[in-house]
Amino acid sequence: MKIVTFEEFIPKAQLNLDGLKNLQECYASYISKKIPQPHRVIRFVITKSDETGYYCEIDCLIPEEGNVYSLEGNIFDFRKRRHENTDKFTSVLLIPTGIGAEIGGHSGDGNSVARLIAKASDVLITHPNVVNAADINEMTDNTEYVEGGTLTNFLLGKVGLERVRQNKVLILMDKHIEPSFNDDIINIISAARVAFGMNCDVYEMEKSIKSVPGYSKSGRAIGQVEGLEKLFAIIEKFKNDYDAIGLSTFIQVPNNFYGEYFSTNNIVNPWGGTEAMLTHSVSEIFHIPCAHSPLTTSSEVENLDFGVVDPRKSADSISRTELYCILKGLHRSPKIVGPTNGITLEDVSCVIIPDGCLGLPTLACLENDIPLIVVKENKNLMQNDLRKLPFKSNKLFFVDSYLEAVGVMMALKAGLSIDVFRRPVKNTIKL
């Protein structure tokens, strides 16, 4: 089984983005016929939209000979919410992986933003890309660490999230030709066990999967993953004994990519897209919390000298295992439960995204009248004008910064209309 990204253009005649129902119908009648059969979509992104249609990138699980894993299940299915719970203010912070976001698109440089949003929330739900910073993860106690594919399913109303005190975690690591790398992984797990009482074991895999990064036409980080059935067989063996799975596997990044990434060229993180493809597939098939850290391929890579780098990338430049961040996250990552249990879609008070990001989470907000806060300062590769989506009044808010986003959040929490804070104040409408 492998994961492949397909790039497709969908004409506006085929898709009218007025909600999830329309997208669901478009998949059944048009998109599914553009992708090899059989398949299972695990991620859907609109990278650019214009007057003619939508440029889409679709990550799919494709079976190979001997596959025994079900491809049933449709990422475009959803449950519409009928009410909003207002007992707590629950925010969702999204910074998609692999799009070159100015804030949160590098090495855990979304941590400070997450801490700010968490302070304004009773509960913050976010995903690994925001807070993973190699050996650093500064998420707060009221933050729920949820794999990106699971978070999408949560916003589609297909799963709930049950808070836990502690998970029993299994780390699956590739066997390294240089044993010192595997020793360091075990040592960092031991450090987590001693430092915050983590319950964690490790399993060494031989030649489990092949992961090769790449870039799409939009510049978004993607890749191709092969041999997933080997990884899935190991997870199948242990899934009933562990609450969460961490992956420390090779991603075959060419050495020149490291130089370009850590230089001033500012290319998109080359391994992030492949990591997301891996964890999306695991969460989609097994419904278990999951996160990934890339295992350095050789001492040659480890010894590359990049000097003083962009502060947003510095965590990656000094870590040997890049594992501690996911240990911290998986320690209390919520259990994936039924759609009406635990924290549910009905509990979501607002969603915060970078400008231009158009995928299933954005459309879920549109479908369910969830306030969507769009941060213009967090520039990225996505080219979509979200103002053209048919959001209801006071459901779509554009702000310059995350500092301003918190102001909108506090107004929503207090039940205050945003327009009264702007001058001139509009006249009261007389019908």
Side-chain angles (χ1 to χ4, degrees):
M1 183 176 283
K2 61 184 178 181
I3 313 173
V4 181
T5 300
F6 297 94
E7 301 179 57
E8 299 289 345
F9 174 75
I10 304 176
K12 278 202 170 178
Q14 296 291 338
L15 177 60
N16 177 23
L17 279 186
D18 57 3
L20 288 168
K21 182 69 174 175
N22 191 273
L23 178 57
Q24 189 182 58
E25 293 170 349
C26 180
Y27 170 73
S29 64
Y30 185 80
I31 299 173
S32 63
K33 295 177 174 56
K34 293 279 188 177
I35 304 170
Q37 303 290 340
H39 66 262
R40 182 166 178 172
V41 178
I42 59 171
R43 192 162 58 156
F44 174 83
V45 179
I46 297 175
T47 59
K48 178 182 177 182
S49 53
D50 58 29
E51 295 305 316
T52 62
Y54 307 96
Y55 296 83
C56 304
E57 296 177 8
I58 307 163
D59 293 348
C60 294
L61 279 169
I62 305 293
E64 297 180 291
E65 187 176 350
N67 172 61
V68 296
Y69 294 95
S70 172
L71 294 181
E72 294 180 4
N74 187 346
I75 193 176
F76 300 103
D77 289 342
F78 67 96
R79 177 182 65 84
K80 189 175 178 69
R81 81 172 182 176
R82 302 298 178 185
H83 70 280
E84 177 188 351
N85 295 332
T86 56
D87 294 340
K88 292 183 177 181
F89 194 86
T90 300
S91 58
V92 177
L93 173 62
L94 299 173
I95 304 177
T97 307
I99 64 170
E102 286 287 334
I103 302 169
H106 300 85
S107 180
D109 55 306
N111 263 291
S112 293
V113 167
R115 291 177 64 83
L116 175 68
I117 301 298
K119 192 68 175 178
S121 310
D122 295 308
V123 178
L124 168 63
I125 305 171
T126 194
H127 55 113
N129 185 64
V130 176
V131 294
N132 280 357
D135 293 330
I136 303 168
N137 180 333
E138 292 299 313
M139 58 190 245
T140 59
D141 286 343
N142 67 328
T143 298
E144 301 297 329
Y145 180 94
V146 180
E147 191 278 327
T150 299
L151 185 45
T152 295
N153 283 331
F154 169 76
L155 290 172
L156 291 171
K158 295 194 287 186
V159 302
L161 304 171
E162 184 178 281
R163 303 187 80 172
V164 301
R165 296 187 186 279
Q166 182 188 50
N167 285 319
K168 185 177 182 181
V169 180
L170 177 64
I171 299 298
L172 303 178
M173 69 175 180
D174 277 339
K175 184 176 182 178
H176 207 292
I177 193 172
E178 301 177 56
S180 64
F181 283 92
N182 293 127
D183 292 344
D184 281 346
I185 288 172
I186 294 172
N187 286 335
I188 199 73
I189 292 170
S190 297
R193 290 177 55 234
V194 172
F196 57 87
M198 187 171 191
N199 187 355
C200 186
D201 298 328
V202 61
Y203 179 87
E204 188 174 84
M205 305 182 295
E206 290 198 53
K207 300 179 180 178
S208 61
I209 52 177
K210 180 182 179 182
S211 305
V212 181
Y215 294 100
S216 67
K217 292 177 183 176
S218 69
R220 177 173 158 267
I222 56 171
Q224 183 160 321
V225 182
E226 298 177 354
L228 274 170
E229 64 279 352
K230 300 173 186 176
L231 175 64
F232 286 0
I234 296 170
I235 296 175
E236 184 72 40
K237 177 180 178 181
F238 291 109
K239 68 178 184 180
N240 294 327
D241 299 320
Y242 293 89
D243 304 308
I245 297 292
L247 302 175
S248 178
T249 67
F250 298 119
I251 296 178
Q252 303 298 329
V253 179
N255 284 5
N256 65 295
F257 276 28
Y258 290 98
E260 290 185 45
Y261 175 65
F262 285 110
S263 74
T264 56
N265 293 343
N266 209 28
I267 66 169
V268 173
N269 181 319
W271 48 88
T274 311
E275 290 186 281
M277 295 167 82
L278 270 169
T279 59
H280 277 47
S281 67
V282 171
S283 67
E284 189 71 17
I285 296 295
F286 294 99
H287 305 289
I288 189 170
C290 180
H292 182 275
S293 67
L295 179 55
T296 303
T297 53
S298 69
S299 294
E300 180 184 356
V301 172
E302 179 68 22
N303 293 329
L304 292 173
D305 184 5
F306 305 109
V308 175
V309 303
D310 185 323
R312 297 173 299 174
K313 306 173 185 178
S314 56
D316 273 344
S317 72
I318 60 171
S319 175
R320 184 170 167 90
T321 66
E322 303 197 26
L323 187 64
Y324 193 86
C325 59
I326 75 167
L327 298 177
K328 174 80 176 288
L330 292 174
H331 176 55
R332 294 198 305 177
S333 184
K335 183 179 180 180
I336 303 166
V337 294
T340 59
N341 298 321
I343 305 170
T344 71
L345 174 64
E346 283 69 28
D347 294 309
V348 177
S349 306
C350 72
V351 175
I352 306 103
I353 64 170
D355 197 6
C357 292
L358 182 49
L360 292 171
T362 299
L363 296 176
C365 291
L366 175 62
E367 184 74 42
N368 293 302
D369 295 329
I370 297 171
L372 183 67
I373 303 172
V374 180
V375 181
K376 293 187 288 186
E377 185 179 54
N378 199 359
K379 300 182 185 301
N380 56 84
L381 294 171
M382 302 297 95
Q383 300 179 51
N384 301 291
D385 186 354
L386 303 184
R387 292 179 179 83
K388 295 184 177 180
L389 296 175
F391 276 89
K392 292 181 181 178
S393 176
N394 288 322
K395 296 298 180 182
L396 179 64
F397 305 98
F398 285 85
V399 298
D400 288 329
S401 67
Y402 286 102
L403 292 169
E404 187 181 347
V406 169
V408 173
M409 290 172 60
M410 297 306 293
L412 292 171
K413 190 174 184 179
L416 304 172
S417 295
I418 302 298
D419 59 354
V420 302
F421 295 95
R422 304 188 188 281
R423 295 295 182 270
V425 178
K426 295 180 181 178
N427 290 334
T428 300
I429 296 174
K430 181 180 179 181
L431 299 178

